[in-house]
Amino acid sequence: MFELKAKTKETVVAWWMVFPALFVISVIAFFPLFKTFYDSFFEFGLNPNFPRKFVGFKNYVELFVHDPRFIAALKNTIFFTVVSVALETVLGLLIAIIVHQPFKFRGAVRAAMLIPWAIPTAISSQMWKWMFNDQSGIVTKILERLGVIEPGFPILGSPDTAMWAIIAVDVWKTTPFMALLILAGLQLIPEELYEAARIDGANVWQRFTKITLPMLSSTIAVALIFRTLDALRVFDVVFIMTRGSVNTETLAVYNRVLLMDRAFTGAWFGYGSALSVIIFALISIFAIIYIKSLRLKLD
């Protein structure tokens, strides 16, 4: 009886200790999320000539049934996310394995590989936009010399190449982030496991598939969740490089148009809120898929 009361008292004390953090999280995270979800059932704008009006699921129906621009942005977002995250994960894993090996100047190489990630996205995107310039861009000139494109071909002005150029820039910038997270997981794998596998006659591929990948599953899952969350909300690199033109507009770029450019010209706030809820739902779906498929333990 005494032990039960003691445990109950400890539980109450524990809840009181975490209550301030839970309260702050509720205020800065859950309340805005709830408010956005609530606003998505209304039609209103910043212009006082458009009063607030309850419309139910009209905004969601309009998005999925009567808005081809949303469908195109949704496809672009999913395509960008799947391709960029897949490339970043594979390249990040390869880089992490390489820099995990002992070699001369390893510390300098590890520091240098973080430079693309450390550069602000706005700066790196503008830098790559100049390098993709169809008249004087260095990347364009190199591709012309290699015979990949015709002289003066607008890489960022063509629907066939613009999205791939944006993906290339995102992979260049974010792969070091994935490599850093995976490298941290590699350093937690006991070297004794590899030594025992070598003694048992396991080759490099067998050690990679039987030890490295299983031990890194949780790390890769966390890295995928973080990176996918960012990719599904991609805005800056797309907006700076193409302004969402030539079939590169993503959900975040479209949402910016709804909530900024049209804020005073129509009742678009509820419509934009519905779009924000869809982005959140899309992120949640991807996170659940990663957790289930990679058996990530949350407890």
Side-chain angles (χ1 to χ4, degrees):
M1 187 67 177
F2 176 77
E3 291 182 359
L4 182 60
K5 288 183 178 180
K7 290 182 179 181
T8 303
K9 186 176 180 180
E10 290 178 357
T11 303
V12 172
V13 172
W15 274 108
W16 274 109
M17 292 181 68
V18 301
F19 175 76
L22 293 176
F23 177 76
V24 172
I25 293 175
S26 300
V27 171
I28 66 176
F30 294 130
F31 176 75
L33 179 62
F34 171 78
K35 186 66 167 57
T36 302
F37 181 74
Y38 177 77
D39 287 342
S40 68
F41 295 104
F42 290 84
E43 190 177 80
F44 66 102
L46 295 182
N47 192 323
N49 294 324
F50 297 95
R52 189 182 186 93
K53 181 175 67 174
F54 179 78
V55 294
F57 288 95
K58 178 184 175 182
N59 290 325
Y60 294 96
V61 174
E62 289 288 332
L63 279 169
F64 283 101
V65 180
H66 304 294
D67 192 346
R69 186 173 177 178
F70 162 76
I71 299 299
L74 178 62
K75 291 179 180 178
N76 289 336
T77 302
I78 294 177
F79 178 78
F80 172 86
T81 300
V82 172
V83 176
S84 63
V85 173
L87 290 173
E88 289 159 7
T89 303
V90 173
L91 294 175
L93 178 60
L94 292 175
I95 293 173
I97 292 175
I98 292 173
V99 299
H100 183 61
Q101 307 303 316
F103 60 88
K104 196 174 183 180
F105 304 118
R106 183 175 65 173
V109 173
R110 288 181 176 180
M113 79 175 189
L114 296 177
I115 292 177
W117 182 51
I119 299 174
T121 305
I123 296 176
S124 61
S125 299
Q126 185 61 55
M127 176 184 68
W128 279 97
K129 183 179 180 180
W130 289 332
M131 290 195 291
F132 279 122
N133 184 275
D134 55 354
Q135 298 299 321
S136 58
I138 185 172
V139 174
T140 302
K141 295 300 182 182
I142 292 174
L143 294 178
E144 289 176 1
R145 293 290 182 86
L146 294 176
V148 178
I149 60 174
E150 296 294 328
F153 179 81
I155 296 177
L156 295 180
S158 171
D160 297 328
T161 56
M163 179 58 78
W164 287 105
I166 292 173
I167 290 174
V169 174
D170 189 76
V171 170
W172 170 83
K173 176 173 175 54
T174 317
T175 295
F177 171 75
M178 299 292 283
L180 184 65
L181 292 179
I182 296 174
L183 177 61
L186 279 173
Q187 293 177 333
L188 296 177
I189 301 177
E191 186 62 33
E192 292 78 7
L193 294 177
Y194 293 106
E195 190 63 33
R198 293 190 191 95
I199 294 175
D200 291 337
N203 56 34
V204 175
W205 178 250
Q206 290 173 330
R207 294 197 298 270
F208 175 74
T209 56
K210 300 299 182 181
I211 298 177
T212 304
L213 280 183
M215 296 291 288
L216 283 178
S217 61
S218 296
T219 302
I220 293 175
V222 172
L224 284 172
I225 291 173
F226 275 109
R227 184 62 204 115
T228 302
L229 186 149
D230 283 336
L232 289 171
R233 297 178 299 144
V234 63
F235 169 79
D236 39 15
V237 61
V238 177
F239 189 77
I240 291 173
M241 295 186 70
T242 64
R243 291 295 194 273
S245 61
V246 290
N247 197 31
T248 61
E249 188 173 57
T250 60
L251 291 177
V253 175
Y254 184 32
N255 204 23
R256 185 264 183 194
V257 173
L258 292 176
L259 297 181
M260 299 296 291
D261 295 350
R262 302 182 185 178
F264 293 95
T265 61
W268 294 99
F269 248 61
Y271 201 73
S273 297
L275 180 54
S276 298
V277 172
I278 292 173
I279 296 175
F280 173 78
L282 198 60
I283 293 172
S284 301
I285 291 171
F286 271 85
I288 292 172
I289 291 174
Y290 289 145
I291 292 172
K292 294 295 184 182
S293 60
L294 296 175
R295 297 182 178 87
L296 180 64
K297 295 182 179 180
L298 300 178
D299 53 359

